[in-house]
Amino acid sequence: GGDTGSGPGRGDYFTQLARITETASIQARGLERDLRVRMEAATSAEDRFTALQVYVDQSIRLYRDVVDALVALRPPSEVASEQNAYEEVWRSRLALMTGVRDAGARGPNPILELLENDPFAEAATATRTTCEDLQDAVAAAGSDVDLACDGRPD
């Protein structure tokens, strides 16, 4: 079939997109907050290592869920390239975090060093930038949904 009959209707598409971006932002913030709390409460390297492993594993699951949800959406043509760019950033974040997991670190410091590397900061910036581009395209397409690109303070 053609693109016109597949996927959600225009209004549904924008609502679902907003739900995905907002949920991704809220959950990513929650994982980062949980990691901070666990790291502050950790009394040993083993506790820090466990906290980091949990964070990495949960982040991988979240990033995969975000990619899967975006893939399932069929964007209208006027926002397709912006959605694809946003989706690619989440794919790169998934690949980065999977690389951390697969690096086989045996303690907290190698994981911290990987997470503090430029690619992670760049991916976070690219997520915000591509989300803002997608927000602009969504607005230009006539929708007023808020993609929560700023991560919305608690």
Side-chain angles (χ1 to χ4, degrees):
D3 281 344
T4 49
S6 63
R10 278 180 64 90
D12 286 348
Y13 164 80
F14 293 118
T15 302
Q16 289 176 12
L17 178 63
R19 191 174 305 128
I20 292 166
T21 59
E22 187 171 0
T23 300
S25 177
I26 290 168
Q27 290 185 346
R29 242 189 8 261
L31 291 178
E32 289 161 12
R33 187 174 46 244
D34 289 351
L35 176 61
R36 269 195 312 278
V37 168
R38 287 189 179 119
M39 293 297 276
E40 288 167 7
T43 55
S44 68
E46 189 177 336
D47 290 347
R48 286 192 300 279
F49 185 48
T50 299
L52 285 161
Q53 286 177 308
V54 167
Y55 171 74
V56 168
D57 288 342
Q58 290 179 336
S59 295
I60 288 170
R61 270 197 295 280
L62 170 62
Y63 299 172
R64 189 174 298 125
D65 288 348
V66 172
V67 169
D68 290 347
L70 289 167
V71 166
L73 278 184
R74 299 247 187 279
S77 58
E78 61 267 41
V79 300
S81 65
E82 290 83 1
Q83 181 183 310
N84 291 340
Y86 183 68
E87 183 184 311
E88 276 309 306
V89 170
W90 281 100
R91 281 185 198 281
S92 72
R93 291 180 80 168
L94 175 58
L96 282 169
M97 199 60 83
T98 302
V100 170
R101 183 195 63 201
D102 294 349
R106 300 190 186 286
N109 291 342
I111 296 176
L112 282 170
E113 287 171 21
L114 287 169
L115 294 177
E116 290 166 359
N117 268 344
D118 288 346
F120 281 92
E122 291 163 5
T125 300
T127 303
R128 197 168 36 258
T129 303
T130 57
C131 184
E132 289 165 356
D133 292 345
L134 183 54
Q135 178 73 69
D136 291 345
V138 162
S143 174
D144 61 357
V145 298
D146 181 1
L147 302 185
C149 300
D150 57 2
R152 289 230 176 101
D154 288 343

